[in-house]
Structure formats: structure tokens, C-alpha cells
Amino acid sequence: MDAHAEPPAFATTTEAVDENVYNSVHRLRADAWASLEEAARRLATLPRTSEARTDLDARVEELLDLLGPIESCWSSPGTVVLGELRALHRAGEEGKLTERLAEVRRARSPYETDASNTPDDATEATVGAEPARPVFEVLVVDELTPAEERSLRARLHALRRPGDEFAYELVVVDSFEDAVITSLVNVRLQAVVIGRRFAGRSRHDLRLLRRFFTGTADDDSDGNRGDEQSFDRRVRRLGSRLSSIRPELDLYLLADGSVEVLAGLVDGRFARVFHARDGLLELHLSILEGVGRRYRAPFFSALEAYSRRPTGVFHALPISRGSSVAGSPWLPEMTRFYGMNTFLAETSATSGGLDSLLDPTGPLREAQELAAKTFGAQQTYFVTNGTSTANKIVVQALVRPGDIVLVDRNCHKSHHYGLVLAGAHVVYLDSYPLDEYGMYGAVPVEEIKRKLLEFRAAGTLHRVRLLMLTNCTFDGVVYHPARVMEECLALHPELAFLWDEAWFAFARFHPVYRPRTAMAAAGTLRERFRDPEYRARYAEQQRELGENPDDAALLTHRLLPDPARARVRVYATQSTHKTLTSLRQGSMIHVHDQDFHRRAAETFREAYMTHTSTSPSYQILASLDLGRRQAALEGFGLVRKQVEQAGLLRDAIEEHPLLRRYLHFLTTPELIPDHYRTSGIDQPLRAGQAAMARAWAEDEFVLDPTRATLSIGATGIDGDTFKHEHLMNRHGVQINKTTRNTLLFMTNIGTTRSTVAYLIETLVRLVRGLEDDADARSPREQAAHRRRVAQLTTQSVPLPDFSAFHPAFRPGGATPEGDMRAAFYLAYDDTLCEYLTSNEANAALAAGRDLVSATFVTPYPPGFPVLVPGQTVTPEVLASMSALDTREIHGYQPDQGYRVFTEEALKARSGS
């Protein structure tokens, strides 16, 4: 996963390269090229008689050897360029070698444009110029002789036309193993062509690359070659492996012989089958057309075309076409700041080439269908009011008044308000606490099963409609959705699931992350329940458990659902704008519900109508369309880079002799207890690709590498002060969440090494200031500082679990669900409520009075409530609130206190 990417270890040295310190092949590649250029430059400056030339000559050869297996995965620079460089070096042409390496550096941008451009053209944009057409790479898996490879390249190159929207270059490998490794390394791949002959293991020296991808690039079990049946099986296996790694890649089969028979044998992962002798033109056109499908941004294109048309507006929006601002002497900054395109594309029209979000039939519908395919959903819906609205839509679509919903108490406040609006009877689930850091983890599957069994015992399990969880949590704890849903469906086969993936939209585009997403897990379960081997495992489980297993056995056993009864009904809400490219409030709802059209389509439509504006922002919708395009075409490379930047950030602090005395990034064992990590891997972020993949496949919870929680207690500065006074106000460093002794840093697809470097510079400056302050402190000030450090580095007030709903709001009596809606609207009568300060509330509890919250009390961030309407207030809740250092708390007014129901109101409610 490239989770631990070290800084350049050899960029300007002539010592031997220690590639073992790298867990990122991409950083190794970049630093090796930089070192090669530096070594060549130094070699060119030395006289022929210099003794230092021997070491430098050896250094250049060593780096060329190191780059050989890596560049075999790329067309550019690739092995051809490496051969040119090696020939120049051995011919003693140091000057030409240096010049050629400089050309390679200029051309080696991560996403190069048309290969026909000069290096300068490829890296410099000219204002007003037509953009160069994108260039991608196509992987060919076949045993070709050098002459056959040259012929294939020439024949495909000859098929190019000046009007082609894209261009591509070939990467040719001849084995299963090379194909898999190339798909993991080369972020520019967009298509794969599998030929007639390919070996299992690579014939090249891939020891270096195998170290990065142990366990993920193993060859097939059929040996190097086989008969027709074996070939069919091996092609399908390679196609399956490539699809699991990079599902966005278009797969094609190019073979001779009976391609008509092969077309009926290969599975649906392959776009088309071609005959090697007469199918090259169709292959070429199919490759371009396949990328073109993903490149399409139908709604953006429609909006762009609309903005260029002359119109007469006799409708809403005076700002449309810039009419109300263009000639205004009082608003010159609007057009100057936003630009005229913003206003030209602003309209309330739903015709003339545009579409209606509430009833899409044209480009918006197509844009949402493309998004569904990109994110692995059956249906996708665009939302322009953020994921807060998306959550309310799903809840209202699935939940009727009186239905029971299980929900993580620590989920975003939008879920809680949505449950109030839907009239759900709510059961709150408790996450495991991390008291030392003032945060919660995630909800163990055992806790969920315990609640389901409680309802089963009460005979009301059929009323439990929905389970709502946040994946991943604000602090980076990632669920195992397939396991959670599997075990829940074993107890309640028709339970529906809503996964709030507001901060996890990017996860679809990395092979290690992907299985932990809601849509991927839903697809996995659908396939699993159809598998005869799974049915056999289920039958074996039933024999082990017996006819009437007790609750203790069900709690401790890894349960499998009955494949004949379980229904996969999964919804995911994602804030595209948070982790992918979109304007603010651009979100999506993804659906994988096998009963959607039978049970939810109409209610979903009504809920969507209820919460969606009839005047949605077309700018947001167009940005969602473009963000989907980017994710489909370069998401893999962008997310890989994002993970790499997080590794660089961790390394920079942990390896800095000054910073590590005061700052420490929390590790997986510190945030996820041992019993949730069955793999036994304590540091999956440090253990390499294979170990990390195993932990992510096995453990109940894992830690997202792109979330880095920094422990700052040793500085003596609390999190809120550190965030506002030191980072944001003084240095413009933006972060979101803090606790009393931690800061949360998140990398995203836009994070750069320069951004990371600026953060490190800032932290070094701050810590040096702390050391200067320490030298100037008096003994009394030093003692006070030590007390602050002790307060921040010892365990704080324990985090409270959800207390309970008061009996006045417990419709079930024996089961824990609460009627939060009744409490919420009861508080609309001011005469039934009063305010109590913290001291008054503690005194009332000590006197034996029941205190019941009349409002949500929500510290922000992270945005989940400490109290909800109808919840009993306890001393633990009050103590936790008193220990908070969060400045913004919704629903709590420090000058008045907590809004609670009067004793008379509770008596009247209980009596009724």
C-alpha cells in the first residue's frame, strides 16, 4: 500500500543503494532517477584520469540495474530509454548521458500529455492554448519476440488518427506475475490486452519488486503453458486478479485459433475478444472507445455547451448570464473574482440540453449511471446539500415511524436528526473508548449481535429495520463491512445497512482499501451467497451450532447467514467533496440493494424529493461529474500518492530528533486493542505490502494510513489551543479535529510533498519556541508547565457510554429503544423545559432527581451528540462535558446550562 514511504536515502550519494529501507516502489523509483542524474552530472565534471570515476561508474551501472525491473512496468521512460542510457555510459559519452537524463526528468511528470509534445510542452501549460490530448498506457500480456513486439507497436501506431481524443503507448510483459506487478506499479494503465501465450512466473530478476508485492503477484497454478482448457482457466484467473486490483481497467483478449469458442468461455470481465490477424483495428478503436466512455462527463459537457448559447432569460435568476452584475458599478468584484463562466453557466432551466435532478432523463441520468459503475453500485444519486442531506434521504426512504434502528452513538449529527424526522425508535450502540486520548473507536460486531439477540428474545427482531455505522470513523478506524453484514444477516436476514462513508469516497480506488468499502462488500456478499462452497460452509456451521444454539455461542461464533434467506440491502453515503474532486457540498448516495425496485424505489424517490432542492446548484452537479471522471481514470494513482504522503509525514516527525521528543503519531496498537486484530500484526503500516494486506483482510478493525493522529501532550498545550492559536492563526495550517491531547492530520489526493514540508517546518518552529520558553521559565513557571504536561499525558475523565432513554420515552419497555422524536417535539413547549447549570445538574442528581435532556448536545468537531432528546443525564456525562476543551458545542449554552425536561413534564409523559 506504500504506507511507509521513506525520504530520499541516496539522492546525492555514491554509496550503495539500500532498497530495503523503502516500502514504496514509487519513491524508490523517483529517488533512483534523481540519484542517477546526480551521479552522471558529477561523472561529467571529473577528468578522465580521476580515481573517483571508478566508484561513479559503478554507481551509474548499479542504478541502471536497479531501475531495470521497475521500468519494465512502464512505457516511459521504460527499458528502451534505459538501454540508451546504458549505451551512452559505456561509450564514455558523459555529456550526452547528462543531457539525456535531463530530458527524461522533464518528461517524467506523473501524468504526461501527448508523447508528440516536447518535454517543455508536456510540463508547461500555455494560457488560452488548446490542451494536449491525454496519453495513457496499455498493458499487453503475451510472449512476443522482439520483432513481433516491434511489429505490434508499429501496426497500432499506424492506426492513430490526428482527430483521436487520446493516445496510448504499450507496455509488453510475458507472464502472469509481470502483469499483476505492472498493474500495481503503473498508475497510467487504462487497458490490458491478454494474448495467447504467457508464462506463470517472470523470467526477469524481480526480487526487488517481489519484496513490495509478496502475496499479491503470485503466478497461477497451471505452470507456464497448457492446453485450450488450461489457457481458458488461466486467462480467466488473470482477468479476475487484474479486476480485483484495478477494476477500472478495460480487459481485452487477443488470440488466434477458435476465438469464437473463447468468446463463449471467458467471463464478463472481458470487454471483447479479438483475433490476432484481423482484429487490430477493432482492438485499437475499442481501447480508445473504452477510455472515452470513462472520460465522458455528460452533464458538465451539457452545462458547458449551454453556457455558450445565446439565451433570453424570462425566468428566475437575475444573476444568470451575469445580467444583474456585469454592468453594476457596485459589484465589480463579483465578475472579477468568480469569472464570467460561473454566471454563464448559472441557470434554472432543465431543458435546452440540460436536465432535472429530481427527474433526470438526459445527461444527469447518464452522469449518475457512470458514477454507479465507477463506484461499484447498482444505482448512484447526486446530492448537492452534502452528506448530511444524503443521510436523511436514506433514513427516510427505509424507515417508517416506529421502526427500530441500530445506530452508532458517535455517528454524525445528521443521522440523529434524520432519525427524529423519520420517527424511528432508536437503539444507540457503544464504540470501544480510548479514554487516554479522549476519543472513541468503533462499534464491535459483538456489541451489534448482542443487541440483535436482545430483540430476538423479546420477539421484536422483525421491527429492527436498519443498522447505521460510520466507515471509516473520523479518527481513521475502518470497519470490516463484509464481516459485520454477514454476522448481522445470520441473525436478521432482511436487515438493511447504511454506511456513512463521508470521509471514505477515495477508498474505492486502492486495491487494499476497496474490500473495506460498503459497495465492494455488498458485491462480495452477493457473489459469496451464490457460491456452492459457501453453501457447504454454511451447512457445516449449522451442524456445529446445532438446532437451538444459545446466545453465548452465537456471540462468540463467526456467524454465516443462510444464503437462501439473506438479502443484501446496502446503502453508502459519500462526501465526494471531502476526499475526491468536487465543489463544496457535492455528495453521492450509492445503492446496492437487491430488493430496491421491489421495496424501496418509490419511498426512496419520495425521500429524495423531500430533501432535494428544486433549485440545485448546476456547478456542484457538474463538478461531481468531473470528479467521477478523474476518479475513474486516475483514482488509483492519486490515492497511492495520498497514502505515500501520509507515510512521509509520519516518517518526518518520527525521525526528527527534536520533534519526536514532543510529538508522536499514534500507532495501530494504540488505537485498536489487540483482541480486534486477529492477524497479530502490531504495525501493519510499517510491516510492508503483504503484511498490511493480510491485516486488512483479517482484522475486525484497521487504521487508515491517511489519518494521522498526533499526540501532543508532551508540549503542555491542549489540542484546541494548539489548533487555533499556533497552527491556524499564526501559520495558516488547517486541521479539523482535536481532543485535549491530540491533533488529527489527514492527507488527501491534493496533498503534496511541499505541503508536508511546510507542516514540518511549522512544527519545528513551534517546538523550538517551546524549548526557548523552557530556558526562560522561572522555577514556579516550570512547575506549572510540568503539571500541564502531566494532565495531558495521563488518563482523562473516562468517556461515557450511552446512558439510556428515560422510561417516559421507552416504547418497548423491556428493550432499549427510545422514541427520540417524541422527546424532540415535546421540548417545543417551553413550559415543559428548564435550564440547569452544571453545578445545579450535579446537585439535582445527587438529590435523586431524574434529569432528561430536551435537546441534542453536540461538541463540534467531531459532530456527534453527547446527549440526545429523551436521554437520561448522568454524573459521567456531566464529568465528560466538563473535561471538554472544544469551543463549539451545539445545544449547550454556558451561561444557561443544560436544557432538561421539568419533573412535571416527565410525570405527565409517564402517566400518559
Side-chain angles (χ1 to χ4, degrees):
M1 178 178 275
D2 301 347
H4 173 46
E6 281 73 6
F10 53 92
T12 57
T13 179
T14 57
E15 298 175 2
V17 177
D18 182 10
E19 64 270 12
N20 292 318
V21 304
Y22 280 81
N23 273 9
S24 164
V25 67
H26 305 92
R27 291 304 327 139
L28 175 61
R29 182 191 186 212
D31 293 341
W33 277 108
S35 290
L36 181 60
E37 186 175 4
E38 174 64 17
R41 187 184 300 114
R42 292 179 60 188
L43 191 62
T45 63
L46 293 177
R48 295 279 179 187
T49 57
S50 173
E51 296 181 0
R53 291 182 63 87
T54 301
D55 290 341
L56 279 172
D57 280 328
R59 173 68 171 160
V60 170
E61 287 292 328
E62 176 194 24
L63 288 166
L64 289 169
D65 289 341
L66 175 68
L67 285 166
I70 300 175
E71 290 306 315
S72 68
C73 299
W74 301 80
S75 71
S76 175
T79 54
V80 174
V81 170
L82 277 184
E84 295 175 11
L85 297 174
R86 193 184 299 274
L88 289 172
H89 174 243
R90 291 180 177 178
E93 299 283 355
E94 290 89 356
K96 292 182 179 179
L97 176 62
T98 302
E99 292 175 3
R100 188 71 178 97
L101 281 166
E103 293 174 0
V104 170
R105 170 171 46 79
R106 289 193 295 269
R108 275 193 65 250
S109 65
Y111 306 100
E112 298 164 36
T113 51
D114 195 328
S116 64
N117 292 334
T118 65
D120 287 339
D121 291 334
T123 56
E124 297 179 8
T126 304
V127 176
E130 282 294 317
R133 57 181 174 175
V135 177
F136 59 92
E137 298 191 359
V138 174
L139 176 64
V140 176
V141 187
D142 202 353
E143 285 187 340
L144 302 178
T145 66
E148 288 173 329
E149 181 177 334
R150 287 193 298 271
S151 174
L152 178 62
R153 292 181 187 275
R155 292 167 66 192
L156 287 173
H157 196 280
L159 295 174
R160 290 183 178 181
R161 295 170 296 178
D164 286 344
E165 199 170 8
F166 319 105
Y168 63 87
E169 301 294 340
L170 300 184
V171 180
V172 179
V173 301
D174 60 7
S175 73
F176 185 107
E177 183 181 30
D178 286 311
V180 174
I181 287 180
T182 300
S183 72
L184 287 162
V185 171
N186 190 335
V187 299
R188 298 183 66 207
L189 288 183
Q190 298 295 344
V192 181
V193 180
I194 300 178
R196 179 78 193 157
R197 305 175 301 276
F198 59 89
R201 299 285 284 188
S202 173
R203 66 183 62 188
H204 305 297
D205 182 3
L206 293 182
R207 285 174 294 178
L208 171 62
L209 292 181
R210 286 191 185 113
R211 187 179 66 79
F212 289 109
F213 303 116
T214 302
T216 58
D218 298 333
D219 64 315
D220 61 317
S221 58
D222 291 329
N224 283 353
R225 294 173 186 81
D227 57 19
E228 288 291 334
Q229 183 179 3
S230 175
F231 169 71
D232 160 45
R233 185 152 56 97
R234 291 168 63 235
V235 164
R236 282 185 294 172
R237 189 164 185 266
L238 178 56
S240 176
R241 182 72 65 85
L242 294 176
S243 293
S244 68
I245 296 170
R246 302 275 299 276
E248 76 277 12
L249 297 179
D250 296 319
L251 303 184
Y252 303 97
L253 183 58
L254 185 65
D256 49 22
S258 302
V259 293
E260 301 84 359
V261 176
L262 285 173
L265 294 175
V266 297
D267 56 30
R269 293 186 179 91
F270 286 83
R272 282 195 63 179
V273 178
F274 299 98
H275 196 284
R277 292 185 181 178
D278 58 16
L280 279 189
L281 175 59
E282 289 300 312
L283 172 63
H284 170 76
L285 295 176
S286 295
I287 289 172
L288 295 180
E289 197 268 340
V291 173
R293 277 197 304 270
R294 282 179 278 149
Y295 187 80
R296 277 182 55 76
F299 187 73
F300 172 80
S301 298
L303 187 62
E304 185 180 37
Y306 173 87
S307 72
R308 295 174 178 173
R309 294 177 56 189
T311 61
V313 178
F314 296 92
H315 190 22
L317 299 184
I319 204 171
S320 179
R321 322 299 290 182
S323 300
S324 65
V325 299
S328 173
W330 301 104
L331 292 177
E333 62 272 21
M334 283 198 74
T335 51
R336 186 169 62 243
F337 182 77
Y338 291 104
M340 277 303 295
N341 277 345
T342 298
F343 305 114
L344 290 172
E346 195 62 73
T347 180
S348 59
T350 58
S351 58
L354 297 177
D355 207 349
S356 168
L357 180 60
L358 295 175
D359 188 21
T361 58
L364 256 177
R365 180 174 180 174
E366 185 182 355
Q368 292 181 144
E369 289 171 348
L370 286 168
K373 183 173 183 180
T374 298
F375 287 91
Q378 293 175 328
Q379 291 94 23
T380 289
Y381 297 86
F382 288 175
V383 179
T384 60
N385 310 67
T387 301
S388 293
T389 292
N391 290 330
K392 294 167 190 170
I393 290 171
V394 176
V395 170
Q396 183 173 322
L398 300 180
V399 177
R400 299 165 299 190
D403 283 344
I404 297 171
V405 176
L406 308 184
V407 57
D408 177 9
R409 195 274 302 268
N410 307 315
C411 66
H412 188 263
K413 67 177 185 177
S414 60
H415 292 282
H416 307 271
Y417 285 108
L419 292 167
V420 167
L421 295 175
H425 289 177
V426 181
V427 177
Y428 280 116
L429 306 169
D430 288 314
S431 301
Y432 66 84
L434 296 164
D435 293 330
E436 183 177 354
Y437 307 111
M439 66 179 71
Y440 290 92
V443 180
V445 69
E446 186 175 333
E447 158 82 355
I448 305 170
K449 290 162 64 177
R450 185 177 289 108
K451 288 291 192 295
L452 291 173
L453 290 169
E454 190 174 343
F455 283 103
R456 189 174 77 164
T460 54
L461 184 61
H462 64 282
R463 289 182 51 219
V464 180
R465 185 74 55 184
L466 180 66
L467 171 64
M468 301 163 59
L469 296 171
T470 302
N471 190 41
C472 67
T473 71
F474 215 142
D475 300 292
V477 179
V478 182
Y479 283 88
H480 195 314
R483 177 185 173 182
V484 171
M485 294 191 289
E486 221 172 32
E487 296 218 51
C488 290
L489 290 174
L491 298 174
H492 188 355
E494 295 194 348
L495 185 64
F497 301 87
L498 169 55
W499 293 93
D500 183 338
E501 295 183 338
W503 294 91
F504 214 45
F506 72 92
R508 172 73 187 175
F509 305 100
H510 195 289
V512 177
Y513 278 91
R514 189 178 303 112
R516 294 248 175 182
T517 65
M519 290 298 101
T524 296
L525 293 184
R526 290 286 299 278
E527 292 183 8
R528 190 175 292 170
F529 295 162
R530 291 192 288 258
D531 187 348
E533 291 185 11
Y534 173 85
R535 294 174 181 270
R537 287 170 49 215
Y538 171 73
E540 177 62 27
Q541 171 194 261
Q542 296 305 97
R543 286 191 291 271
E544 290 178 8
L545 291 174
E547 289 188 9
N548 296 297
D550 59 25
D551 287 359
L554 294 172
L555 278 175
T556 57
H557 201 92
R558 175 77 176 265
L559 299 179
L560 301 176
D562 181 349
R565 297 178 59 214
R567 309 298 293 173
V568 178
R569 307 193 63 206
V570 185
Y571 295 74
T573 54
Q574 294 179 346
S575 295
T576 314
H577 68 99
K578 282 186 169 73
T579 64
L580 295 173
T581 297
S582 168
L583 293 178
R584 186 77 163 167
Q585 296 194 41
S587 295
M588 297 186 192
I589 300 171
H590 303 301
V591 181
H592 192 125
D593 181 351
Q594 64 186 108
D595 293 337
F596 182 77
H597 294 290
R598 183 170 63 91
R599 300 177 61 181
E602 289 302 319
T603 56
F604 188 96
R605 182 176 183 276
E606 291 301 315
Y608 195 74
M609 293 285 184
T610 300
H611 294 282
T612 300
S613 171
T614 55
S615 301
S617 167
Y618 281 1
Q619 317 287 10
I620 295 175
L621 293 171
S623 74
L624 285 170
D625 197 13
L626 289 174
R628 186 275 319 156
R629 174 214 277 178
Q630 182 185 44
L633 291 168
E634 55 177 335
F636 173 68
L638 291 173
V639 175
R640 177 202 58 75
K641 185 189 73 170
Q642 172 185 354
V643 175
E644 185 175 285
Q645 300 307 323
L648 290 172
L649 176 59
R650 283 187 170 86
D651 291 334
I653 287 181
E654 294 180 7
E655 295 172 4
H656 195 286
L658 177 61
L659 293 180
R660 67 189 180 197
R661 295 212 302 265
Y662 295 90
L663 307 173
H664 163 63
F665 277 117
L666 300 183
T667 60
T668 296
E670 290 171 298
L671 293 175
I672 301 176
D674 291 349
H675 51 281
Y676 300 126
R677 295 184 289 108
T678 56
S679 70
I681 301 172
D682 281 344
Q683 293 281 13
L685 305 188
R686 296 290 191 186
Q689 172 91 6
M692 187 164 189
R694 183 161 70 87
W696 278 60
E698 298 176 13
D699 293 349
E700 181 171 352
F701 300 116
V702 291
L703 190 64
D704 175 9
T706 69
R707 313 290 177 91
T709 299
L710 188 65
S711 175
I712 60 169
T715 66
I717 305 172
D718 66 86
D720 189 72
T721 301
F722 205 115
K723 168 186 172 179
H724 287 97
E725 296 185 14
H726 294 279
L727 290 181
M728 297 188 71
N729 293 346
R730 295 184 186 178
H731 301 284
V733 174
Q734 300 179 18
I735 62 171
N736 196 326
K737 180 178 175 293
T738 67
T739 67
R740 68 189 185 97
N741 57 9
T742 69
L743 307 172
L744 177 64
F745 294 93
M746 295 184 288
T747 59
N748 57 55
I749 63 171
T751 303
T752 64
R753 296 185 78 172
S754 296
T755 308
V756 172
Y758 178 67
L759 174 59
I760 299 303
E761 291 172 14
T762 299
L763 293 175
V764 169
R765 192 176 297 116
L766 291 173
V767 170
R768 283 178 179 159
L770 292 176
E771 297 222 318
D772 292 342
D773 292 343
D775 293 339
R777 291 189 197 115
S778 67
R780 179 180 298 178
E781 291 170 331
Q782 189 64 36
H785 175 74
R786 284 196 295 268
R787 285 194 297 272
R788 287 197 300 273
V789 171
Q791 290 170 354
L792 293 173
T793 53
T794 56
Q795 185 163 311
S796 64
V797 175
L799 295 168
D801 287 338
F802 181 78
S803 51
F805 286 104
H806 187 271
F809 304 104
R810 287 268 298 277
T815 46
E817 72 271 20
D819 187 352
M820 197 160 54
R821 179 188 178 97
F824 183 88
Y825 285 110
L826 185 66
Y828 274 41
D829 186 343
D830 285 343
T831 66
L832 303 180
C833 303
E834 63 179 315
Y835 286 92
L836 297 179
T837 66
S838 183
N839 290 336
E840 290 170 338
N842 276 302
L845 289 174
R849 176 182 167 183
D850 283 347
L851 291 185
V852 179
S853 180
T855 63
F856 288 101
V857 177
T858 308
Y860 199 88
F864 59 78
V866 174
L867 288 169
V868 304
Q871 179 184 346
T872 58
V873 183
T874 63
E876 292 77 16
V877 170
L878 295 176
S880 177
M881 282 289 293
S882 297
L884 284 175
D885 63 353
T886 302
R887 301 185 184 192
E888 184 179 350
I889 302 178
H890 304 164
Y892 172 76
Q893 301 182 37
D895 57 334
Q896 293 181 293
Y898 298 92
R899 193 167 189 247
V900 298
F901 290 110
T902 64
E903 292 180 280
E904 292 75 16
L906 292 177
K907 288 178 183 177
R909 172 76 186 176
S910 298
S912 65

